[in-house]
Amino acid sequence: MNKTLSLKLSKYKTALRFIALIVLYIIFAKFALLLAIPPGYATAIWPSAGIALVFTILYGYRMIPAVWLGSTIINLYVVINGLEKIVPSDLVVPAVIGVGASLHVLIGAFLIKRYCTYPEVLEEPSEIIKFIFLGGFI
């Protein structure tokens, strides 16, 4: 296969993964928001973080901007639907929350790649516990 064609296909695959992560992040975040405790939007589970962690582990750290974008979009959605009058400072908070979401995915992926037997199969119970602890709780 031609090197230029291969490079173009690689860029398209990365773009499609990027878009897929944003869409999946938003869809699963909307499901998680159904479990939110009124009047706020705090929820006990956030499956979007797990999806973002999987994409980052599988496809690399270049997926982090998609995590930021997905988180920012869903938090903008929450802000816009929750307020009657929007001031510019209300639009900054979702971007900051997106930075936090990106950081926790970045740190989780780094710890898993560093301390677990990734990409090997998790066969030992200690490795499975380590994977769950580093990818879930931390």
Side-chain angles (χ1 to χ4, degrees):
M1 188 184 299
N2 189 338
K3 192 173 184 178
T4 4
L5 180 61
S6 175
L7 185 61
K8 284 183 181 179
L9 288 175
S10 175
K11 287 181 182 180
Y12 287 129
K13 285 181 184 177
T14 301
L16 285 174
R17 290 175 182 150
F18 198 85
I19 293 167
L21 176 54
I22 293 170
V23 170
L24 288 172
Y25 195 99
I26 292 169
I27 288 170
F28 281 90
K30 288 195 67 141
F31 284 133
L33 288 173
L34 295 175
L35 301 172
I37 302 166
Y41 59 97
T43 181
I45 61 168
W46 197 252
S48 298
I51 291 169
L53 184 63
V54 167
F55 266 76
T56 305
I57 290 171
L58 291 177
Y59 304 120
Y61 297 116
R62 65 184 141 206
M63 293 289 119
I64 295 297
V67 176
W68 178 83
L69 198 55
S71 177
T72 302
I73 290 170
I74 195 66
N75 285 299
L76 277 172
Y77 167 79
V78 169
V79 166
I80 289 170
N81 283 338
L83 299 175
E84 291 179 16
K85 181 182 177 190
I86 299 172
V87 295
S89 63
D90 292 334
L91 303 178
V92 174
V93 175
V96 173
I97 293 171
V99 170
S102 301
L103 280 175
H104 89 265
V105 169
L106 179 71
I107 292 168
F110 171 78
L111 290 174
I112 287 172
K113 287 182 177 183
R114 175 95 165 110
Y115 295 108
C116 293
T117 57
Y118 175 81
E120 303 297 323
V121 177
L122 299 171
E123 293 178 350
E124 297 296 320
S126 62
E127 288 296 318
I128 295 170
I129 290 170
K130 194 184 325 179
F131 180 82
I132 292 171
F133 181 73
L134 292 174
F137 296 115
I138 292 183

